[in-house]
Every structure is written in structure tokens, then in C-alpha cells.
Amino acid sequence: MKGSELLVESLKREGVKNIFGIPGLYNMPMYDSFYEDLANGEMRHILMRHEQAAAHAADGFARATGIPGVCTATSGPGVTNLITGLVTAYQDSSPVVAITGGVNRASMGKLSFQESDTLGVSFPVSKYAVELRDITEIPQWIKNAFYVASTGRPGPVVVDVPRDIQMEDIDNVKYPDSVSVHYKPFRTVIDKDALRKAALNLLNAKKPVILVGTGVMWANATEEIIKLSEFLGCPVVSTLPGKSSMPADYPLYIGPMGYYGRAEASTAALESDVLFAVGARFSDRTFTSYNEMNDTKKIFMSINLDPTDFNKGINPDVAMLGNAKVLLNELLNVLNTLGRKGNVYEWTKRVNELKDYYSQFSHPEDDGHLRPWKILKTIREAVPRDTILTTGVGQHQMWAETQWENLEPRSFFSSTGMGTMGFGLPSAMGAKVGKPDKVVLDYDGDGSFMMTGNNLATAVDEHIPVIAIVNDNRTLGLVRQVQDMFQNKRIVGVDYGNSPNIVKYAESFGADAYDVHDYKDLYEFIRKAIKENVPSVIRVPVNKEELALPTLPPGGKLSEVIVSDPRKGSKGAGKL
Amino acid sequence: MIREKVVKVQGNYRDPGLIERVSANFRKFWVDIKWMNVNCDNNNNCILYLSLYDRYNLGNVDLSILTLSKMVDIDYVEIINDYNVKNFELNYNNSERYEWGEKVEQSAWQGIYRK
Ligand SMILES: Cc1ncc(C[n+]2csc(CCOP(=O)(O)OP(=O)(O)O)c2C)c(N)n1
Ligand SMILES: [Mg+2]
């Protein structure tokens, strides 16, 4: 058996069916070894048009399915192209396994053709990276890679296999029964005292808020969050990526808080007397100022898998370490035995008041242009409940943050930690490969879309019928808005000219393309695209002057939120 | 806040990338390494002693230690509270020198720098 065959067999033993990638000299032996598997349908290779997109696709696959996505690249430019995708998965804790081909062992370090120091460039962007030394290591390290990627805080793992190892022969193959790596997934600690304290704090709270992060999605704990929230009558806010943990139509869910989050959600979090974070690190995007939060003197509580998150900016008064589902169930048991309910009548009234107050700002009137909130509302009306939506990065992403209503867990994916433009289309393709029965939309910006839009070719060739809805504002809108609002309107280096025509661009790939003029168009084109079931691009013109609101001044506090267009004379401050 | 801490790290050695990752961990937090002493045995167990220094007074030393402790291949990190370091001593009297890819003849440098 050849090393490359052993590699493919080991991947199959991990249940791998889909590989997103691009071949080159150094991973070609592996391609040769899955030739038959592709032919007989046991595996599928999706030939991406750029390795960054291969990593994003694997990431989208992982987020949609909950199991690691796999990508592959050749040494040198293939590996360096992967890097942006890997760091994106790393920041958002998504399990990706990257198999890279390396130069021959004897050539290493000699500036040989396409040598790029795979380990050196991978270490800082991955949870782990390993370069195999010997053919016998293949099965063990493939097993280890999937284990490391998918346990604890999930993340990307790179396995670099030198070409000559793939070409070698081995007779007696031993497949490992268990992992062997110096690594421990984080523990779940059932600390009765902490649980009781948490329960009492929640019951005694006058103004409790639950803050949900992606940890809830990865632990499949949405149901437990809802049980807890219902039991206490407690409002729920989320981080931006934490949107993927909460159905938007759950009545006590206020929405995402943070830098571009909903003002009512951030305000509720600020005003709360007990803030209970579950599966959410207290990131600088969610709590834009730790001083501001600490000054409220509220009780912070946290359930989190990664103990180091208890030491960054906020030190929770009650810290519970472990899996959100397990610990929430324990907490619910304690609450049940305590046998009383919280009293949050006044708080509920206040939260409703906040919601009412801020809703006047979030639905601005018609101004002759298509307005993002209405675009997103129209999309919502046109697609099934379990539709998956991914985004690029920019204003459109922030509009999706505040206005898109994802109605099921694991159905909203965005590059939130890294903010990687170009994530939208390939991650949607990965999600569609993982969940072929769901409608998958990429809600994108023109700038972001153009970064990985060439992968439309893959969507067409491989029949991956995703629908990209591109907000065409002919600008890098989010950067422009910061210049407009906070840099004295010195608009520089952001506006595009007329190139390209996005409809013609999409058509050139063989995708169906639509040009929207009004909301009715948008609705009908989405329905048509779903029915036709082919890759489609829907261009939606958006005014480049439109702002993504709420926002904060750069480096601002949540209480400095700006909710209405200051250029039109601020009506009402951000505060209620 | 104590700005200097000496730690002992036990890690699993696959390749020198272990040391690279340990140093990179501190670099990312802007924590300086004043000195380091590394010993690896035949079973791939490596013991690293490092003196960490918070040159910029950022208060990151503790978090950088915690973060290192959750890295794949790192078994544990120990903060040594009562250290007392004497010079890690290496004795020799024969060496060869290279500069910019070239060997420098002994006669050219011996007696100039060497005490
Ligand atoms: C790869 C990358 N380069 C640059 C940025 C900085 N950046 C953040 S948002 C943004 C504008 C994005 O423009 P577009 O995709 O058209 O979205 P819009 O804001 O117009 O909705 C830029 C350039 C980034 N996040 N990612
Ligand atoms: Mg744009």
C-alpha cells in the first residue's frame, strides 16, 4: 500500500466524504489515490478556484454540519493561499482539517521548488500543525487531527505530508484504535456550589440577561437556553456569531449586542444586574469597553469551555467550566429543586420599552433607494424557515447582524472573529455540500463578493446551487462609512468605478443572474432561483450613502451608540 | 504586579517547532524572554525553563502562561516562585565560526574576540 492510499483510507475511516481543494505536485499522489473513490461516489472532490475558498468551504461545511470540513492544497502557494481561510476558522472556532502536500524530505530547507515552510506559516493560524516524518505516522496523525480539530474549542488542524512519504510503500498497516497526542480537551466540571450560587443569583436578580455565544451552537444547547430563559422570564442577547445559536423568533431573544449590534440588546446588557454569558467569550467586539461593563458593578456569570476566557477583561463572579449543554441541564435541575421563580415583571417592561424605542430607528423610511432592512425582510419572506445564510464582511454583514432573522440554530455563518471579506460565497458552498436539502444564501457585499466570486465557476461545474445576493453599492461601504462619520467625510480609496457588471460577471460563469429593481423583483427572483436549483446571483443596488446602524465611534463604549443618521440631524440620542 | 517570572514548561518534542511555538506564544503577548534553557531527553520529553519579563508593563504575563498551557504538545507550565539561578555553565575550548554563510578561519578571529 502506498502512503497516499494509506492517507485516503485513514480519511475515510474518519468518515470523510467531501474534500475541497486544488491539486499540485505535492498533494497529487493523494488525488491519484482517491481516483476510484470519486469514480464510485464514495468520496467527492470539489475543485475550488482558490485555496482560500477551499478553506472557507471546509469551514462552512463544518459550521453547517457540526463535523470537521476537509480541504487540501499543495505546498508553497497552495498552502499560503489556504492561510486566510485557516485563520478565519481559528478565530471563529470552527473544525477544519487541512491536508497539505509537502516537498520531499530530502529537499527541505533548500529553497526547493514551492517550498514554503508549511509548519512555520501554519502554526500561528491553526490549533495545531504537524509535519509527518514517516509513512507509519499517517493513520495515527489523521486520527489525531480530527480529534484535536473537533474537541475542546474546535479549530483548524494542518497535516503536512511530504510527497515522498505519499509515494512510499508500506506492508503491514496498523490503524490506531485511539488518539495519541499530548492534548486534553477542556473539562466539564460540575461544581455544585457554583451551580447553586448561579441559580440563586439568577432567582434574586431584578434585571437578569443571558448572553449567548457560539459555544451554545457547538454544544447543541439552544433548547436548554430557551428552557432557562422561559423558567426565569429572562431576556436573551447574543454575540454576533451567537446569532447562530438562537432562533430570531424566540420572543425573549432581543438580538445581538456589541459594536454593530442592536442598541436594545447592548442597553439591556449594560442595565442588567446579572449578566450570564453562556459559550461566549467576552470579546472586544461584544463588550467594546471592559471598564464600561465593570463599572456597572453587575454580577457576571459564565459557562465556558475554555478556562482562559475567564481571564480576559472580565473576571466572572461565578465561573462554570465546561460544556454548555451539560452545565445548563445541571443548572436547570438546581433551579427546579429550589422551586421558585424569578420576579422580572418590571424588567420585562423595561426591555419591551427599549425594544419599542429603538425599533423606530432600525426601520428607516423609504428614500427612493432599496433599504437594507426591507431587503432582508423580503429575503426572509421568500425562503424556508431553515434557510442557511452566510455573509461577507462590511455594512451588509452588519445589516444582517441586526436585521436577518435566522430561525433555527446553525443557520447563520459569518466571519466574525477575523472579519474576512470573501468568506460568504465559498462558505455558503461548503454549507450547501453539507446540507444539500437546505436553501443556502450568501448575503454579500460587492467588495467581498469580488474577492472569492471566481468560485462561482466551481458552484456551476459541481452543481452546488447556492444563491448569492450581492448588495452592490459600488464601494467598500463599511470603511467609507467610518470615513464619512468619523474622518471628516474624507472619502478615500473606497469607491469603485463601473467594473465589473455583476450580472454579466455571474452570467459568464454560467450562473443564473438577476438584476433587482424593487422588492417585488427581489422576492420573485429568489423564488425563481430556489425553483431552478442552480447557482444564482441576485444583484441588489444599494445606496453607497446608506449607513450601517447602530454603530459606535471607533474605540467607543456601548453607551455611546449612534442609532440614527447624524448627517440628517440626529433625532434623539442613542439613550433611552 | 511582578514583572518577571520564571517558568518551567514540559512539552512533547516532535521538532524544534515546539520551541518556536513556545516563544511565539510570548511574542504575541509582548512578553519578553530574558533567557531560556531547554533540555530534551530520548523520549521526546522537553523541559524548558524561561525567564519572562513584562518589558512594556502590559500585565500579560499570567494570561500568556495560561494560554501556553492549553497548547497542543504542552503538558504543563509551572511558575517557579522561589528560583535561584546560577549561570547555566558550558565549558569549551574549541569552536568554529561562521559568518554570512562562510566559515571564518580561526586565525582571523581567534585572539581578537575570544577571552
Ligand atoms: C480581506 C479584507 N480586506 C479588508 C478588510 C477591511 N474591510 C472591512 S469591511 C470592508 C468593506 C467591505 O466592502 P463590501 O464587501 O462591498 O461590503 P459593504 O460594506 O459595501 O456592504 C473592508 C475593506 C477586510 N475586512 N477584509
Ligand atoms: Mg460594497
Side-chain angles (χ1 to χ4, degrees):
Chain A
M1 187 181 222
K2 269 173 58 183
S4 54
E5 290 165 356
L6 182 53
L7 179 58
V8 171
E9 178 58 29
S10 303
L11 290 170
K12 280 169 36 182
R13 283 170 183 250
E14 292 301 318
V16 175
K17 296 246 178 330
N18 300 286
I19 300 185
F20 303 90
I22 300 182
L25 183 59
Y26 300 102
N27 58 351
M28 270 171 67
M30 178 178 78
Y31 275 71
D32 188 58
S33 296
F34 58 52
Y35 184 94
E36 278 79 17
D37 298 302
L38 301 193
N40 67 25
E42 236 191 281
M43 287 177 95
R44 180 176 184 192
H45 172 255
I46 295 111
L47 176 58
M48 304 300 291
R49 290 327 196 247
H50 191 290
E51 289 85 354
Q52 178 189 344
H56 288 327
D59 183 349
F61 176 94
R63 297 193 206 199
T65 60
I67 56 175
V70 180
C71 56
T72 182
T74 194
S75 181
V79 166
T80 53
N81 275 353
L82 267 189
I83 297 299
T84 301
L86 294 178
V87 75
T88 302
Y90 185 59
Q91 277 261 11
D92 283 347
S93 305
S94 176
V96 167
V97 174
I99 309 292
T100 58
V103 301
N104 290 350
R105 284 170 289 182
S107 309
M108 277 175 190
K110 297 173 185 162
L111 211 64
S112 57
F113 179 61
Q114 295 192 327
E115 184 182 8
S116 65
D117 186 8
T118 300
L119 275 193
V121 295
S122 302
F123 280 148
V125 299
S126 59
K127 185 170 174 187
Y128 193 57
V130 61
E131 180 182 67
L132 301 193
R133 293 290 163 101
D134 188 280
I135 188 167
T136 55
E137 291 190 325
I138 292 174
Q140 183 68 66
W141 272 106
I142 293 297
K143 190 168 202 57
N144 292 347
F146 280 80
Y147 180 70
V148 171
S150 57
T151 56
R153 183 199 277 268
V157 174
V158 177
V159 184
D160 189 47
V161 193
R163 180 183 158 96
D164 60 323
I165 291 182
Q166 299 177 55
M167 300 302 290
E168 240 175 67
D169 278 308
I170 186 168
D171 286 336
N172 296 314
V173 178
K174 270 223 205 96
Y175 292 99
D177 299 324
S178 55
V179 293
S180 167
V181 51
H182 286 241
Y183 161 81
K184 280 189 217 160
F186 297 120
R187 297 182 308 145
T188 293
V189 180
I190 296 173
D191 174 345
K192 297 270 185 238
D193 288 342
L195 285 162
R196 195 181 149 77
K197 218 164 156 192
L200 288 173
N201 281 340
L202 286 169
L203 289 174
N204 294 335
K206 298 257 167 348
K207 297 182 279 183
V209 164
I210 301 169
L211 166 64
V212 168
T214 26
V216 169
M217 178 186 96
W218 287 106
N220 296 317
T222 302
E223 198 188 315
E224 284 76 10
I225 289 288
I226 289 177
K227 273 191 202 157
L228 178 68
S229 154
E230 275 175 350
F231 183 94
L232 299 163
C234 177
V236 180
V237 301
S238 74
T239 63
L240 162 56
K243 258 174 87 77
S244 51
S245 306
M246 287 308 294
D249 57 353
Y250 173 60
L252 293 179
Y253 176 52
I254 310 176
M257 63 173 291
Y259 204 111
Y260 287 96
R262 289 187 155 221
E264 57 271 42
S266 298
T267 309
L270 277 173
E271 289 185 4
S272 65
D273 59 355
V274 173
L275 186 67
F276 182 23
V278 185
R281 62 185 161 120
F282 300 104
S283 90
D284 56 351
R285 209 60 179 171
T286 309
F287 288 7
T288 60
S289 155
Y290 295 120
N291 287 341
E292 179 185 34
M293 273 292 166
N294 284 318
D295 286 350
T296 62
K297 305 276 181 251
K298 64 173 90 286
I299 295 175
F300 290 100
M301 307 201 299
S302 176
I303 287 180
N304 205 59
L305 197 58
D306 182 341
T308 67
D309 283 347
F310 298 143
N311 299 274
K312 297 176 190 158
I314 302 284
N315 297 86
D317 302 277
V318 184
M320 289 165 283
L321 184 63
N323 176 286
K325 193 178 187 77
V326 173
L327 290 174
L328 285 171
N329 276 316
E330 292 290 332
L331 182 62
L332 284 163
N333 286 342
V334 177
L335 282 166
N336 277 323
T337 54
L338 288 173
R340 63 187 170 97
K341 300 238 165 186
N343 179 1
V344 291
Y345 178 72
E346 286 299 321
W347 181 225
T348 311
K349 247 175 55 187
R350 170 66 181 160
V351 168
N352 288 334
E353 192 180 50
L354 288 172
K355 280 199 214 167
D356 284 347
Y357 175 72
Y358 285 114
S359 72
Q360 61 177 309
F361 303 107
S362 50
H363 301 93
E365 284 146 27
D366 285 345
D367 62 353
H369 299 276
L370 296 178
R371 310 242 41 180
W373 73 269
K374 267 198 180 173
I375 293 172
L376 284 153
K377 188 162 171 277
T378 307
I379 300 172
R380 182 66 272 174
E381 282 161 5
V383 298
R385 189 179 164 84
D386 63 353
T387 292
I388 291 174
L389 183 132
T390 68
T391 76
V393 170
Q395 288 182 314
H396 63 282
Q397 178 190 31
M398 305 316 166
W399 291 319
E401 169 171 12
T402 50
Q403 304 291 346
W404 174 247
E405 303 202 330
N406 51 294
L407 300 177
E408 291 197 357
R410 274 191 198 286
S411 65
F412 172 78
F413 307 124
S414 188
S415 169
T416 60
M418 197 66 197
T420 307
M421 292 170 68
F423 176 79
L425 179 70
S427 64
M429 290 165 59
K432 183 74 183 174
V433 168
K435 293 281 176 195
D437 297 335
K438 295 198 178 183
V439 171
V440 182
L441 305 177
D442 159 33
Y443 181 65
D444 223 329
D446 50 349
S448 298
F449 181 69
M450 287 308 298
M451 287 206 178
T452 50
N454 53 343
N455 292 283
L456 269 179
T458 305
V460 171
D461 282 353
E462 304 271 348
H463 187 65
I464 304 170
V466 294
I467 304 171
I469 300 175
V470 182
N471 274 17
D472 187 357
N473 57 1
R474 292 286 136 182
T475 189
L476 298 167
L478 196 63
V479 178
R480 188 182 205 279
Q481 134 168 10
V482 174
Q483 296 172 345
D484 189 354
M485 294 177 76
F486 307 111
Q487 295 185 21
N488 297 319
K489 302 192 182 303
R490 288 159 63 89
I491 307 296
V492 52
V494 288
D495 286 346
Y496 293 132
N498 289 328
S499 182
N501 176 319
I502 285 178
V503 170
K504 284 190 183 159
Y505 174 79
E507 279 170 351
S508 78
F509 289 103
D512 281 2
Y514 304 89
D515 209 355
V516 165
H517 297 97
D518 53 33
Y519 300 111
K520 195 164 145 280
D521 274 358
L522 177 59
Y523 180 87
E524 276 163 15
F525 294 156
I526 296 171
R527 302 296 300 175
K528 183 138 188 282
I530 295 174
K531 194 155 151 259
E532 296 292 331
N533 202 29
V534 294
S536 307
V537 175
I538 302 177
R539 174 189 171 269
V540 186
V542 171
N543 181 6
K544 65 168 60 150
E545 301 288 340
E546 182 86 43
L547 298 180
L549 298 172
T551 189
L552 306 180
K557 297 176 176 173
L558 291 173
S559 54
E560 290 167 342
V561 66
I562 298 163
V563 290
S564 65
D565 191 338
R567 298 166 307 187
K568 295 183 183 148
S570 185
K571 56 164 171 165
K575 266 195 193 150
L576 171 61
Chain B
M1 195 171 297
I2 301 168
R3 287 172 69 181
E4 184 165 359
K5 277 190 180 161
V6 170
V7 294
K8 175 185 179 187
V9 181
Q10 181 180 304
N12 173 58
Y13 185 89
R14 256 191 83 76
D15 55 50
L18 176 68
I19 300 161
E20 184 179 349
R21 285 184 295 141
V22 171
S23 345
N25 174 73
F26 295 112
R27 172 179 52 73
K28 283 181 239 178
F29 285 100
W30 285 32
V31 169
D32 280 311
I33 299 172
K34 284 179 93 174
W35 52 257
M36 172 167 12
N37 179 283
V38 184
N39 272 295
C40 302
D41 69 16
N42 293 335
N43 298 319
N44 297 325
N45 287 316
C46 260
I47 301 288
L48 301 87
Y49 293 97
L50 301 100
S51 171
L52 307 174
Y53 183 63
D54 184 5
R55 189 186 343 168
Y56 302 99
N57 226 339
L58 297 171
N60 279 342
V61 175
D62 289 342
L63 185 57
S64 69
I65 291 170
L66 269 180
T67 305
L68 179 63
S69 78
K70 61 165 185 170
M71 189 185 277
V72 179
D73 280 340
I74 300 297
D75 298 325
Y76 62 77
V77 188
E78 222 172 281
I79 298 174
I80 301 176
N81 295 320
D82 58 345
Y83 61 89
N84 171 6
V85 215
K86 296 233 173 67
N87 289 340
F88 293 103
E89 217 178 78
L90 173 76
N91 297 309
Y92 70 100
N93 44 36
N94 188 3
S95 65
E96 292 160 24
R97 180 175 292 193
Y98 297 84
E99 291 178 14
W100 292 95
E102 285 188 278
K103 181 163 179 179
V104 186
E105 286 310 317
Q106 283 220 344
S107 57
W109 60 275
Q110 238 182 7
I112 304 175
Y113 301 108
R114 197 166 163 214
K115 281 190 232 142

